[in-house]
Amino acid sequence: PVRYITRVTADPTDDAVAYVTLSGYRIDEFLPHVFRTTNHGATWTDISGNIPCGPVNVIREDPKKRKILYVGTDFGVFVSLTGGEEWHVLGAGLPAPVAVVVLSDAAQNLPRDNIEKSLEATLADTNKHLESHERLSNIVIVDDEWTTDNGC
């Protein structure tokens, strides 16, 4: 299937080396896709390794240490100290993701305690099914749906 190229990055010190990230999000395919070439694009090697499932949006090579790579995904930032052989969550102590919700008209009329208990149960149930780096820290209630314009 056709996937979308999300980033192409050339190695600044070796013109034979480049990286590409791809996303299958629009075709409901959520595997990470990160590839490297070392021969001007004649062949490409999959270096996605153990990056958690989800679209990869960007890759960068450390400007001082060539084997260190960084990728940004829909679920966080990951680093490889081994040129893509193995990936780790970057930044212990970074804020965990949050869920942003808009209450339905019916829910807005419920007692606050009921809403809090329901959302706490939803949060706990959701987090049971997520890997540690994906778990949500909070649910934030907003008045309007999130858009890039209102930046909730």
Side-chain angles (χ1 to χ4, degrees):
V2 175
R3 292 179 188 86
Y4 297 88
I5 295 173
T6 55
R7 193 65 51 133
V8 176
T9 302
D11 183 316
T13 61
D14 185 345
D15 67 358
V17 178
Y19 303 90
V20 65
T21 59
L22 304 150
S23 172
Y25 180 77
R26 292 185 183 167
I27 58 170
D28 292 330
E29 195 262 2
F30 301 103
L31 295 173
H33 298 288
V34 182
F35 295 88
R36 174 182 51 228
T37 183
T38 57
N39 56 10
H40 298 92
T43 60
W44 292 86
T45 302
D46 185 346
I47 60 169
S48 306
N50 62 322
I51 298 172
C53 286
V56 179
N57 304 309
V58 65
I59 184 166
R60 289 286 185 260
E61 185 177 56
D62 189 283
K64 295 181 181 177
K65 297 182 180 177
R66 290 188 60 213
K67 287 220 173 227
I68 299 178
L69 301 173
Y70 306 93
V71 295
T73 75
D74 282 7
F75 303 107
V77 179
F78 299 86
V79 61
S80 174
L81 305 176
T82 58
E85 293 175 25
E86 185 176 43
W87 296 90
H88 304 278
V89 175
L90 179 65
L94 289 177
V98 299
V100 177
V101 299
V102 177
L103 296 178
S104 67
D105 291 336
Q108 290 178 18
N109 295 320
L110 294 173
R112 182 183 175 116
D113 287 348
N114 291 17
I115 295 170
E116 286 179 1
K117 286 179 185 175
S118 175
L119 291 176
E120 286 172 3
T122 300
L123 183 64
D125 184 57
T126 301
N127 282 338
K128 283 192 305 191
H129 304 286
L130 298 174
E131 294 184 34
S132 62
H133 66 278
E134 298 173 317
R135 292 190 185 120
L136 302 170
S137 63
N138 295 295
I139 296 179
V140 177
I141 301 171
V142 295
D143 293 328
D144 298 311
E145 283 187 41
W146 183 92
T147 69
T148 55
D149 294 328
N150 68 20
C152 290

